[in-house]
């Protein structure tokens, strides 16, 4: 156990993943760019008592506090844990690459430590076809995320560590990779790290008439990082989230309604820099996904799945976005984007975390 509460790294044993499939699209190399928090997920099934011990809730996501630091070591000592590459944005890009098949269509920036976990993350991300360019921090360990599974629900507790240290200097030094991209994506979690870097990328996207995508990611971001979120929102062309996140955003914006369809409409109508209509995509677990586009809300059913076939819902939202982006950057319509998003989310919940064990057969 390190001083920061990280589990001893020599215990890491990561399972992953199929090689990129052969070229199957005409998307330009580097077309999709993501900025986020690279983390190593530590996953295990626990009891409700374990969640209560560390004041955690099922189906929720938070940042680790001091009271959570002993938890990581306890997980490794007392449970059968699995290590997988994680971090919401990186997960989505890995899934997009899996669908697209052609290596290096997606580029990912984030910060890691100089340690074994960073080496593992780099190897696995590159194996999935993502062009990874990590900022490195010599003082902090690579970030980790506890993924605690109870009854097919997951509680995420992220110890950002080095992921919290991403510098604008790294972004500026590698700006050519930003300029090369046409589509940008960040999960909201990076608002806690370097919102200025996100805003600079979003401004570039607006100036060059590109496409910027963003995810609400967790209720606490709308609660406690409202100011940077609202600064970024006018640049967002595609906004993703789930029903819990959408309801919390509505509450913070004083929409005065619990009607999710009305909330989706109001989010789309928030201030926008470009003339393009903001498209809002809100998932609802097993209920239909809501999409607001061109002045109307459409419902898209998910792929049915038996309860006994669900292994782990961790990463399903990331996988959904990855499938959506894989079609979006090919110029496909919303229907195709959602169809692929449903495919990748359905695949993900049959696995542990965002492991990719097969060749994508989406059609």
């Amino acid at each position: 156990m390190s001083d920061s509460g990280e589990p001893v790294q020599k215990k890491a044993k990561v399972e992953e993943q199929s090689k990129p499939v052969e070229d199957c699209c005409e998307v330009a190399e580097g077309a999709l760019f993501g900025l986020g928090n690279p983390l190593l997920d530590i996953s295990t099934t626990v009891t409700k008592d374990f969640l209560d011990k560390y004041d955690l809730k099922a189906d929720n996501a938070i940042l680790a506090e001091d009271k959570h630091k002993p938890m990581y070591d306890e997980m490794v000592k007392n449970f059968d844990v699995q290590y997988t590459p994680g971090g919401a944005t990186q997960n989505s890009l890995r899934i997009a690459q899996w669908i697209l098949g052609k290596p290096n269509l997606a580029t990912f920036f984030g910060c890691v430590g100089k340690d074994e976990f960073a080496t593992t993350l780099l190897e696995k991300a590159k194996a999935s076809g993502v062009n990874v360019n990590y900022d490195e921090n010599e003082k902090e360990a690579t970030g980790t995320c506890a993924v605690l599974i109870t009854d097919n629900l997951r509680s995420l507790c992220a110890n950002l560590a080095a992921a919290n240290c991403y510098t604008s200097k790294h972004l500026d030094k590698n700006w050519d990779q930003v300029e090369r991209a046409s589509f940008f994506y960040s999960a909201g979690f990076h608002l806690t790290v370097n919102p200025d870097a996100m805003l600079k990328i979003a401004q570039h996207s607006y100036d060059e008439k590109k496409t910027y995508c963003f995810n609400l990611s967790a209720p606490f971001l709308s609660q406690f990082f409202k100011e940077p979120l609202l600064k970024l929102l006018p640049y967002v062309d595609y906004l993703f989230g789930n029903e819990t996140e959408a309801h919390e955003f509505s509450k913070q914006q004083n929409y005065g309604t619990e009607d999710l369809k009305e909330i989706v409409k109001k989010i789309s109508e928030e201030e926008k820099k470009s003339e393009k209509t903001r498209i809002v995509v809100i998932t609802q677990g097993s209920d239909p996904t809501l999409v607001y586009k061109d002045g109307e809300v459409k419902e898209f059913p998910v792929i049915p799945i038996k309860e006994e076939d669900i292994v782990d819902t961790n990463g399903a939202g990331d996988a959904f976005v990855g499938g959506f982006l894989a079609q979006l950057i090919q110029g496909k319509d919303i229907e195709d984007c959602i169809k692929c998003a449903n495919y990748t989310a359905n695949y993900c919940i049959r696995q542990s975390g965002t492991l990719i064990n097969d060749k994508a057969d989406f059609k």
Side-chain angles (χ1 to χ4, degrees):
M1 175 97 173
S2 69
D3 292 339
S4 64
E6 303 289 332
V8 179
Q9 294 177 8
K10 67 181 180 181
K11 295 182 180 179
K13 186 177 181 181
V14 180
E15 299 177 13
E16 177 125 315
Q17 134 178 343
S18 62
K19 295 181 180 180
V21 296
E22 297 178 358
D23 293 4
C24 63
C25 61
E26 300 300 322
V27 178
E29 189 170 294
L32 176 60
F33 178 95
L35 173 65
N37 304 338
L39 304 172
L40 190 66
D41 284 352
I42 308 173
S43 306
T44 190
T45 299
V46 299
T47 63
K48 184 179 183 301
D49 288 342
F50 188 84
L51 293 184
D52 292 341
K53 179 179 179 179
Y54 289 102
D55 195 24
L56 296 171
K57 298 177 181 179
D59 202 25
N60 194 24
I62 66 167
L63 296 179
E65 302 174 27
D66 287 342
K67 65 183 179 182
H68 299 120
K69 297 295 177 67
M71 175 181 65
Y72 299 88
D73 190 48
E74 183 175 349
M75 289 172 62
V76 172
K77 288 180 178 179
N78 299 333
F79 295 91
D80 182 16
V81 301
Q82 184 176 48
Y83 295 83
T84 54
T89 303
Q90 187 170 233
N91 280 344
S92 293
L93 266 58
R94 287 171 47 240
I95 293 293
Q97 279 286 170
W98 176 57
I99 291 294
L100 293 165
K102 183 179 178 181
N104 300 322
L105 298 182
T107 298
F108 176 77
F109 284 10
C111 188
V112 297
K114 287 192 172 183
D115 50 37
E116 184 180 336
F117 280 178
T119 301
T120 297
L121 282 173
L122 181 65
E123 289 175 351
K124 298 305 175 182
K126 285 187 175 294
S128 65
V130 179
N131 174 30
V132 174
N133 187 333
Y134 290 142
D135 191 3
E136 293 184 333
N137 187 285
E138 296 184 356
K139 296 181 180 180
E140 295 285 346
T142 297
T144 52
C145 182
V147 181
L148 307 168
I149 305 163
T150 54
D151 299 325
N152 296 326
L153 298 175
R154 86 284 184 270
S155 178
L156 306 181
C157 185
N159 181 21
L160 294 182
N164 202 36
C165 302
Y166 184 78
T167 64
S168 295
K169 182 179 179 181
H170 177 269
L171 180 66
D172 294 341
K173 181 180 178 181
N174 298 280
W175 189 250
D176 61 312
Q177 295 184 56
V178 176
E179 293 181 326
R180 185 172 59 176
S182 300
F183 296 83
F184 303 91
Y185 174 69
S186 277
F189 295 117
H190 203 71
L191 289 172
T192 73
V193 177
N194 193 335
D196 290 341
M198 296 174 72
L199 195 59
K200 183 172 183 177
I201 293 168
Q203 181 68 54
H204 166 79
S205 179
Y206 166 70
D207 290 341
E208 300 299 323
K209 295 180 172 57
K210 298 179 179 181
T211 300
Y212 190 86
C213 308
F214 174 77
N215 200 316
L216 292 174
S217 295
F220 80 87
L221 294 166
S222 293
Q223 292 174 300
F224 304 116
F225 294 87
K226 181 177 178 179
E227 182 178 350
L229 195 164
L230 293 181
K231 282 185 179 179
L232 187 69
L233 188 59
Y235 298 91
V236 175
D237 298 306
Y238 285 80
L239 183 139
F240 300 93
N242 64 32
E243 74 276 28
T244 305
E245 296 152 6
H247 278 299
E248 185 59 42
F249 184 85
S250 172
K251 179 180 176 182
Q252 296 299 320
Q253 293 301 101
N254 298 312
Y255 285 167
T257 180
E258 292 291 320
D259 184 339
L260 197 56
K261 290 183 178 180
E262 185 65 20
I263 291 172
V264 169
K265 177 177 182 291
K266 286 181 176 292
I267 293 175
S268 180
E269 293 172 347
E270 288 281 351
E271 178 190 354
K272 185 87 163 47
K273 287 285 186 179
S274 74
E275 295 181 355
K276 292 188 291 185
T277 301
R278 178 182 296 113
I279 295 174
V280 180
V281 182
I282 301 296
T283 60
Q284 303 184 85
S286 60
D287 291 330
T289 296
L290 301 182
V291 177
Y292 186 86
K293 180 178 182 290
D294 297 332
E296 65 175 327
V297 178
K298 290 186 177 181
E299 296 187 19
F300 293 86
V302 302
I303 300 172
I305 183 172
K306 296 178 181 178
E307 187 73 22
E308 58 265 29
D309 291 333
I310 298 176
V311 175
D312 178 10
T313 58
N314 176 45
D318 301 338
F320 179 94
V321 173
F324 190 102
L325 293 174
Q327 302 306 305
L328 181 66
I329 69 174
Q330 295 183 78
K332 300 296 180 66
D333 59 25
I334 285 291
E335 286 72 18
D336 284 335
C337 291
I338 293 292
K339 182 180 179 182
C340 188
N342 282 340
Y343 166 84
T344 50
N346 183 269
Y347 176 90
C348 180
I349 61 179
R350 297 172 186 268
Q351 321 294 322
S352 178
T354 50
L355 285 175
I356 302 170
N357 299 310
D358 307 291
K359 180 178 179 179
D361 58 0
F362 173 77
K363 296 178 182 179

